[in-house]
Amino acid sequence: MYIYLDIVRDFNCAMCGACCRNDWMVTLDEESYRRNQEFFAARDDREEFEAAFTRLTGKMQPGEYAVINKKGGACWFLSPDQSCWLHRQAGHEHLDSVCQTFPRYPMDTARGLELSLSFSCPEVLRLVARVQPLEIMRSETPPLAVREDVPTVAVYPEQRPIGHSLRHYFELEHHFIDILQWRGVPIAERLLLLQKTAAGLDSAEPGDMEAARQRLNQTFQNNYMYMDMQTVPPGTPACFTAEILQEHFLVNLIFRKIFYLYGLTEAARLLVSFGQRLGDAARPFAAEAAVEAVRRMILELELAFGHNRQALTRVCRVG
């Protein structure tokens, strides 16, 4: 089963070259490094190989063996026409897993392969420039070509302790997305309800499975009743706004399993921090200028969240 946000099925690379110019390191595992070593040796071009790739030293994450170097602030292989020289010469399957996958974000979960997209891609930001809320889709066929052997995360809630709220992770994810897509109040208020919910569940005694299930059901019921009483259905907004863009970005982060990875309290804190940064970015502006300001801030946050965890810590501390 493939489970994905609806924007995934509409994605096609726009060949803009933005991801090849971003300020992040593209890492390779040892297999990719050796494959390139052989490719350039066969071309009798060892000097190019040595210039394009650098072996990493010191403490590294699993799968990080080398990096592709920069040239003129861009990936070594980015051509003037925004195409990838290595892709043209060696084919898509030759590329490292990062370049084959980005901006796709595959996740191995107990209910299937789940797919999202990175908002650091300009084409993804174009796709989400819409009023309609993001929707979770299900299919027995993949919505786009994706390597299934390189999942970014593994999510198996039954591995959590009995009675722990995250053992019911998928129900929690659905509920948190419902809260963020509750458009009857400003997004800052939605985030406060989400944070209160996460903190309450996190502080409860684990108990047995039945007690955890009852606690979860009661929490959901209380929240939906509160949401129904607080607002009059707002109807469909007339146009795309900076707040809707914030909503899409935060919903995408939740779907990327941020609560499963970081825990309920910490993930809620991150989302509130992100919401504050996005709101501050939009506040001085109106209409289209506010949307553009939020886009720029999303690129900064996405870079920190998806590609530089030290930067993420700094961003959240400031927030």
Side-chain angles (χ1 to χ4, degrees):
M1 181 64 70
Y2 296 89
I3 302 169
Y4 52 92
L5 293 177
D6 57 352
I7 55 173
V8 171
R9 67 187 175 190
D10 299 323
F11 175 78
N12 283 295
C13 178
M15 300 293 289
C16 68
C19 59
C20 305
R21 291 190 297 270
N22 271 328
D23 185 23
W24 59 51
M25 292 193 307
V26 175
T27 57
L28 300 82
D29 58 20
E30 185 173 4
E31 180 184 352
S32 294
Y33 180 82
R34 300 300 179 196
R35 183 167 64 245
N36 279 287
Q37 192 174 44
E38 293 174 4
F39 174 76
F40 281 91
R43 295 172 60 92
D44 196 22
D45 203 355
R46 291 177 178 83
E47 288 186 6
E48 178 81 4
F49 172 78
E50 295 295 336
F53 300 94
T54 297
R55 283 275 309 276
L56 292 171
T57 59
K59 188 177 181 180
M60 295 171 286
Q61 297 295 323
E64 295 182 349
Y65 186 80
V67 296
I68 300 177
N69 294 325
K70 302 279 188 178
K71 182 168 58 177
C75 173
W76 187 272
F77 300 112
L78 182 65
S79 300
D81 64 357
Q82 311 305 324
S83 66
C84 173
W85 178 90
L86 190 59
H87 188 185
R88 289 202 314 270
Q89 297 297 322
H92 181 76
E93 295 301 320
H94 179 88
L95 301 178
D96 64 277
S97 61
V98 173
C99 294
Q100 285 193 42
T101 303
F102 183 84
R104 304 163 185 85
Y105 191 89
M107 298 164 283
D108 175 27
T109 81
R111 60 184 185 178
L113 185 73
E114 303 198 29
L115 297 166
S116 181
L117 298 171
S118 169
F119 277 45
S120 58
C121 171
E123 178 62 13
V124 175
L125 288 173
R126 187 192 68 78
L127 286 175
V128 298
R130 69 184 207 195
V131 173
Q132 179 188 358
L134 300 185
E135 186 178 354
I136 296 176
M137 313 297 291
R138 289 170 173 79
S139 172
E140 293 184 358
T141 57
L144 46 62
V146 61
R147 283 187 56 173
E148 299 188 15
D149 60 336
V150 288
T152 308
V153 297
V155 180
Y156 286 81
E158 66 273 17
Q159 295 177 354
R160 298 287 180 164
I162 292 176
H164 195 287
S165 295
L166 285 178
R167 197 174 176 91
H168 306 280
Y169 171 74
F170 296 119
E171 294 96 318
L172 279 169
E173 178 181 275
H174 178 82
H175 184 62
F176 288 149
I177 289 175
D178 277 352
I179 291 175
L180 270 184
Q181 292 181 334
W182 168 42
R183 293 182 177 175
V185 299
I187 198 163
E189 292 186 34
R190 306 177 221 171
L191 285 167
L192 289 177
L193 177 59
L194 189 153
Q195 186 175 40
K196 179 181 177 181
T197 301
L201 291 171
D202 227 5
S203 62
E205 292 294 330
D208 58 22
M209 287 191 65
E210 183 59 29
R213 167 57 66 187
Q214 290 180 1
R215 180 172 65 246
L216 214 61
N217 289 342
Q218 189 61 55
T219 298
F220 292 174
Q221 182 179 349
N222 291 344
N223 281 348
Y224 287 128
M225 288 178 61
Y226 173 77
M227 291 158 69
D228 287 342
M229 289 188 301
Q230 290 295 311
T231 60
V232 175
T236 302
C239 62
F240 180 66
T241 65
E243 180 155 286
I244 292 176
L245 178 55
Q246 294 176 53
E247 173 194 306
H248 292 338
F249 171 65
L250 296 173
V251 166
N252 186 58
L253 284 182
I254 291 178
F255 188 72
R256 282 164 60 174
K257 319 308 174 198
I258 185 173
F259 282 96
Y260 190 84
L261 296 174
Y262 288 83
L264 295 178
T265 299
E266 179 65 12
R269 187 184 73 81
L270 288 175
L271 288 175
V272 169
S273 176
F274 291 168
Q276 290 172 346
R277 293 292 294 267
L278 293 167
D280 289 345
R283 195 164 293 114
F285 305 102
E288 292 183 10
V291 170
E292 184 55 35
V294 169
R295 281 199 184 101
R296 290 195 298 269
M297 180 54 66
I298 284 175
L299 291 174
E300 179 180 331
L301 294 174
E302 188 70 62
L303 178 62
F305 179 76
H307 307 282
N308 187 337
R309 297 306 170 92
Q310 290 182 343
L312 172 64
T313 303
R314 293 196 299 272
V315 166
C316 294
R317 187 180 299 123
V318 172

